Amino acid sequence: MAEQRAIQPNEDPVCGMTVDPSEARTKGLAREHGGREYVFCGKGCYLEFGDDPEPFLAADYQPSM
């Protein structure tokens, strides 16, 4: 597996926004990948990550809104 960047437990891995994990879970905006939970700011980021998560986890990925 390629090296992954550090993503905080409350960070949307797609856009980098800070997210309340509890609220994301309540809204159905949390998903597990590779044994770890990721939370998302909205449905767009959630779906984008679900289609192909690896680019968003790559060490050289720079999230931007």
Side-chain angles (χ1 to χ4, degrees), residues 8-29:
Q8 298 302 312
N10 65 339
E11 177 186 349
D12 182 321
V14 176
C15 70
M17 283 183 66
T18 300
V19 178
D20 179 325
S22 177
E23 193 173 313
R25 283 185 216 104
T26 300
K27 292 179 177 179
L29 296 173

PDB file of all heavy atoms in Angstrom, residues 8-29:
ATOM      1  N   GLN A   8      -6.859  13.949  10.180  1.00  0.00           N
ATOM      2  CA  GLN A   8      -7.407  14.025  11.530  1.00  0.00           C
ATOM      3  C   GLN A   8      -8.768  13.334  11.590  1.00  0.00           C
ATOM      4  O   GLN A   8      -9.480  13.270  10.581  1.00  0.00           O
ATOM      5  CB  GLN A   8      -7.552  15.493  11.951  1.00  0.00           C
ATOM      6  CG  GLN A   8      -6.248  16.252  12.008  1.00  0.00           C
ATOM      7  CD  GLN A   8      -5.249  15.608  12.952  1.00  0.00           C
ATOM      8  OE1 GLN A   8      -5.562  15.272  14.084  1.00  0.00           O
ATOM      9  NE2 GLN A   8      -4.041  15.390  12.461  1.00  0.00           N
ATOM     10  N   PRO A   9      -9.167  12.816  12.764  1.00  0.00           N
ATOM     11  CA  PRO A   9     -10.461  12.126  12.883  1.00  0.00           C
ATOM     12  C   PRO A   9     -11.663  13.013  12.535  1.00  0.00           C
ATOM     13  O   PRO A   9     -12.719  12.501  12.198  1.00  0.00           O
ATOM     14  CB  PRO A   9     -10.515  11.703  14.349  1.00  0.00           C
ATOM     15  CG  PRO A   9      -9.105  11.699  14.807  1.00  0.00           C
ATOM     16  CD  PRO A   9      -8.389  12.750  13.998  1.00  0.00           C
ATOM     17  N   ASN A  10     -11.496  14.329  12.617  1.00  0.00           N
ATOM     18  CA  ASN A  10     -12.610  15.244  12.324  1.00  0.00           C
ATOM     19  C   ASN A  10     -12.401  16.001  11.007  1.00  0.00           C
ATOM     20  O   ASN A  10     -13.023  17.028  10.776  1.00  0.00           O
ATOM     21  CB  ASN A  10     -12.809  16.227  13.471  1.00  0.00           C
ATOM     22  CG  ASN A  10     -11.631  17.168  13.640  1.00  0.00           C
ATOM     23  OD1 ASN A  10     -10.522  16.893  13.201  1.00  0.00           O
ATOM     24  ND2 ASN A  10     -11.866  18.286  14.302  1.00  0.00           N
ATOM     25  N   GLU A  11     -11.548  15.483  10.135  1.00  0.00           N
ATOM     26  CA  GLU A  11     -11.233  16.138   8.865  1.00  0.00           C
ATOM     27  C   GLU A  11     -11.876  15.403   7.698  1.00  0.00           C
ATOM     28  O   GLU A  11     -11.758  14.189   7.578  1.00  0.00           O
ATOM     29  CB  GLU A  11      -9.706  16.156   8.665  1.00  0.00           C
ATOM     30  CG  GLU A  11      -9.262  16.742   7.355  1.00  0.00           C
ATOM     31  CD  GLU A  11      -7.768  16.602   7.134  1.00  0.00           C
ATOM     32  OE1 GLU A  11      -7.037  16.233   8.069  1.00  0.00           O
ATOM     33  OE2 GLU A  11      -7.323  16.843   6.003  1.00  0.00           O
ATOM     34  N   ASP A  12     -12.544  16.150   6.838  1.00  0.00           N
ATOM     35  CA  ASP A  12     -13.074  15.585   5.601  1.00  0.00           C
ATOM     36  C   ASP A  12     -11.868  15.330   4.691  1.00  0.00           C
ATOM     37  O   ASP A  12     -11.148  16.266   4.349  1.00  0.00           O
ATOM     38  CB  ASP A  12     -14.036  16.586   4.949  1.00  0.00           C
ATOM     39  CG  ASP A  12     -14.684  16.069   3.683  1.00  0.00           C
ATOM     40  OD1 ASP A  12     -14.004  15.387   2.889  1.00  0.00           O
ATOM     41  OD2 ASP A  12     -15.863  16.375   3.469  1.00  0.00           O
ATOM     42  N   PRO A  13     -11.608  14.079   4.307  1.00  0.00           N
ATOM     43  CA  PRO A  13     -10.413  13.779   3.512  1.00  0.00           C
ATOM     44  C   PRO A  13     -10.457  14.333   2.085  1.00  0.00           C
ATOM     45  O   PRO A  13      -9.428  14.437   1.437  1.00  0.00           O
ATOM     46  CB  PRO A  13     -10.348  12.258   3.499  1.00  0.00           C
ATOM     47  CG  PRO A  13     -11.752  11.823   3.747  1.00  0.00           C
ATOM     48  CD  PRO A  13     -12.373  12.879   4.617  1.00  0.00           C
ATOM     49  N   VAL A  14     -11.630  14.712   1.606  1.00  0.00           N
ATOM     50  CA  VAL A  14     -11.767  15.215   0.246  1.00  0.00           C
ATOM     51  C   VAL A  14     -11.475  16.711   0.185  1.00  0.00           C
ATOM     52  O   VAL A  14     -10.640  17.164  -0.592  1.00  0.00           O
ATOM     53  CB  VAL A  14     -13.174  14.916  -0.321  1.00  0.00           C
ATOM     54  CG1 VAL A  14     -13.351  15.524  -1.700  1.00  0.00           C
ATOM     55  CG2 VAL A  14     -13.412  13.405  -0.367  1.00  0.00           C
ATOM     56  N   CYS A  15     -12.160  17.499   1.039  1.00  0.00           N
ATOM     57  CA  CYS A  15     -12.036  18.958   0.954  1.00  0.00           C
ATOM     58  C   CYS A  15     -11.223  19.571   2.089  1.00  0.00           C
ATOM     59  O   CYS A  15     -10.862  20.738   2.023  1.00  0.00           O
ATOM     60  CB  CYS A  15     -13.410  19.607   0.892  1.00  0.00           C
ATOM     61  SG  CYS A  15     -14.336  19.498   2.443  1.00  0.00           S
ATOM     62  N   GLY A  16     -10.981  18.809   3.163  1.00  0.00           N
ATOM     63  CA  GLY A  16     -10.185  19.307   4.270  1.00  0.00           C
ATOM     64  C   GLY A  16     -10.965  20.044   5.345  1.00  0.00           C
ATOM     65  O   GLY A  16     -10.382  20.500   6.322  1.00  0.00           O
ATOM     66  N   MET A  17     -12.295  20.176   5.174  1.00  0.00           N
ATOM     67  CA  MET A  17     -13.095  20.879   6.179  1.00  0.00           C
ATOM     68  C   MET A  17     -13.084  20.129   7.510  1.00  0.00           C
ATOM     69  O   MET A  17     -12.963  18.903   7.550  1.00  0.00           O
ATOM     70  CB  MET A  17     -14.545  21.015   5.718  1.00  0.00           C
ATOM     71  CG  MET A  17     -14.757  22.087   4.692  1.00  0.00           C
ATOM     72  SD  MET A  17     -16.503  22.280   4.249  1.00  0.00           S
ATOM     73  CE  MET A  17     -17.179  22.887   5.790  1.00  0.00           C
ATOM     74  N   THR A  18     -13.258  20.887   8.595  1.00  0.00           N
ATOM     75  CA  THR A  18     -13.412  20.295   9.915  1.00  0.00           C
ATOM     76  C   THR A  18     -14.872  19.888  10.069  1.00  0.00           C
ATOM     77  O   THR A  18     -15.776  20.671   9.783  1.00  0.00           O
ATOM     78  CB  THR A  18     -13.024  21.301  11.012  1.00  0.00           C
ATOM     79  OG1 THR A  18     -11.651  21.665  10.812  1.00  0.00           O
ATOM     80  CG2 THR A  18     -13.183  20.705  12.390  1.00  0.00           C
ATOM     81  N   VAL A  19     -15.079  18.658  10.514  1.00  0.00           N
ATOM     82  CA  VAL A  19     -16.415  18.074  10.601  1.00  0.00           C
ATOM     83  C   VAL A  19     -16.629  17.526  12.009  1.00  0.00           C
ATOM     84  O   VAL A  19     -15.712  16.971  12.604  1.00  0.00           O
ATOM     85  CB  VAL A  19     -16.550  16.914   9.581  1.00  0.00           C
ATOM     86  CG1 VAL A  19     -17.891  16.241   9.674  1.00  0.00           C
ATOM     87  CG2 VAL A  19     -16.285  17.406   8.168  1.00  0.00           C
ATOM     88  N   ASP A  20     -17.842  17.676  12.537  1.00  0.00           N
ATOM     89  CA  ASP A  20     -18.204  17.061  13.816  1.00  0.00           C
ATOM     90  C   ASP A  20     -18.521  15.586  13.523  1.00  0.00           C
ATOM     91  O   ASP A  20     -19.515  15.291  12.850  1.00  0.00           O
ATOM     92  CB  ASP A  20     -19.419  17.765  14.401  1.00  0.00           C
ATOM     93  CG  ASP A  20     -19.884  17.168  15.713  1.00  0.00           C
ATOM     94  OD1 ASP A  20     -19.789  15.929  15.896  1.00  0.00           O
ATOM     95  OD2 ASP A  20     -20.365  17.927  16.554  1.00  0.00           O
ATOM     96  N   PRO A  21     -17.677  14.656  13.982  1.00  0.00           N
ATOM     97  CA  PRO A  21     -17.886  13.239  13.662  1.00  0.00           C
ATOM     98  C   PRO A  21     -19.257  12.712  14.078  1.00  0.00           C
ATOM     99  O   PRO A  21     -19.885  11.954  13.334  1.00  0.00           O
ATOM    100  CB  PRO A  21     -16.764  12.522  14.414  1.00  0.00           C
ATOM    101  CG  PRO A  21     -15.681  13.548  14.523  1.00  0.00           C
ATOM    102  CD  PRO A  21     -16.424  14.849  14.732  1.00  0.00           C
ATOM    103  N   SER A  22     -19.735  13.125  15.240  1.00  0.00           N
ATOM    104  CA  SER A  22     -21.038  12.660  15.713  1.00  0.00           C
ATOM    105  C   SER A  22     -22.149  13.133  14.779  1.00  0.00           C
ATOM    106  O   SER A  22     -23.048  12.367  14.417  1.00  0.00           O
ATOM    107  CB  SER A  22     -21.272  13.175  17.136  1.00  0.00           C
ATOM    108  OG  SER A  22     -22.549  12.807  17.581  1.00  0.00           O
ATOM    109  N   GLU A  23     -22.088  14.366  14.365  1.00  0.00           N
ATOM    110  CA  GLU A  23     -23.078  14.928  13.453  1.00  0.00           C
ATOM    111  C   GLU A  23     -23.002  14.241  12.083  1.00  0.00           C
ATOM    112  O   GLU A  23     -24.023  13.942  11.464  1.00  0.00           O
ATOM    113  CB  GLU A  23     -22.853  16.431  13.308  1.00  0.00           C
ATOM    114  CG  GLU A  23     -23.993  17.152  12.635  1.00  0.00           C
ATOM    115  CD  GLU A  23     -23.815  18.648  12.662  1.00  0.00           C
ATOM    116  OE1 GLU A  23     -23.492  19.203  13.728  1.00  0.00           O
ATOM    117  OE2 GLU A  23     -23.994  19.258  11.589  1.00  0.00           O
ATOM    118  N   ALA A  24     -21.786  13.984  11.611  1.00  0.00           N
ATOM    119  CA  ALA A  24     -21.613  13.307  10.322  1.00  0.00           C
ATOM    120  C   ALA A  24     -22.239  11.915  10.370  1.00  0.00           C
ATOM    121  O   ALA A  24     -22.923  11.504   9.425  1.00  0.00           O
ATOM    122  CB  ALA A  24     -20.133  13.225   9.963  1.00  0.00           C
ATOM    123  N   ARG A  25     -22.019  11.184  11.459  1.00  0.00           N
ATOM    124  CA  ARG A  25     -22.607   9.850  11.594  1.00  0.00           C
ATOM    125  C   ARG A  25     -24.131   9.933  11.566  1.00  0.00           C
ATOM    126  O   ARG A  25     -24.800   9.136  10.897  1.00  0.00           O
ATOM    127  CB  ARG A  25     -22.147   9.188  12.889  1.00  0.00           C
ATOM    128  CG  ARG A  25     -20.751   8.657  12.822  1.00  0.00           C
ATOM    129  CD  ARG A  25     -20.372   7.897  14.100  1.00  0.00           C
ATOM    130  NE  ARG A  25     -18.969   8.155  14.367  1.00  0.00           N
ATOM    131  CZ  ARG A  25     -18.495   8.980  15.298  1.00  0.00           C
ATOM    132  NH1 ARG A  25     -19.311   9.623  16.102  1.00  0.00           N
ATOM    133  NH2 ARG A  25     -17.201   9.157  15.438  1.00  0.00           N
ATOM    134  N   THR A  26     -24.691  10.901  12.305  1.00  0.00           N
ATOM    135  CA  THR A  26     -26.138  11.086  12.364  1.00  0.00           C
ATOM    136  C   THR A  26     -26.719  11.362  10.984  1.00  0.00           C
ATOM    137  O   THR A  26     -27.795  10.880  10.638  1.00  0.00           O
ATOM    138  CB  THR A  26     -26.498  12.245  13.324  1.00  0.00           C
ATOM    139  OG1 THR A  26     -26.014  11.919  14.630  1.00  0.00           O
ATOM    140  CG2 THR A  26     -27.986  12.493  13.382  1.00  0.00           C
ATOM    141  N   LYS A  27     -25.997  12.116  10.171  1.00  0.00           N
ATOM    142  CA  LYS A  27     -26.453  12.479   8.825  1.00  0.00           C
ATOM    143  C   LYS A  27     -26.110  11.426   7.770  1.00  0.00           C
ATOM    144  O   LYS A  27     -26.392  11.622   6.594  1.00  0.00           O
ATOM    145  CB  LYS A  27     -25.826  13.808   8.404  1.00  0.00           C
ATOM    146  CG  LYS A  27     -26.315  14.989   9.206  1.00  0.00           C
ATOM    147  CD  LYS A  27     -25.637  16.255   8.736  1.00  0.00           C
ATOM    148  CE  LYS A  27     -26.153  17.472   9.467  1.00  0.00           C
ATOM    149  NZ  LYS A  27     -25.466  18.702   9.006  1.00  0.00           N
ATOM    150  N   GLY A  28     -25.459  10.341   8.173  1.00  0.00           N
ATOM    151  CA  GLY A  28     -25.070   9.307   7.215  1.00  0.00           C
ATOM    152  C   GLY A  28     -23.882   9.714   6.365  1.00  0.00           C
ATOM    153  O   GLY A  28     -23.726   9.243   5.243  1.00  0.00           O
ATOM    154  N   LEU A  29     -23.038  10.592   6.914  1.00  0.00           N
ATOM    155  CA  LEU A  29     -21.882  11.099   6.168  1.00  0.00           C
ATOM    156  C   LEU A  29     -20.566  10.587   6.746  1.00  0.00           C
ATOM    157  O   LEU A  29     -19.568  11.296   6.801  1.00  0.00           O
ATOM    158  CB  LEU A  29     -21.899  12.637   6.161  1.00  0.00           C
ATOM    159  CG  LEU A  29     -23.095  13.256   5.440  1.00  0.00           C
ATOM    160  CD1 LEU A  29     -23.098  14.763   5.635  1.00  0.00           C
ATOM    161  CD2 LEU A  29     -23.084  12.895   3.967  1.00  0.00           C
TER     162      LEU A  29
END
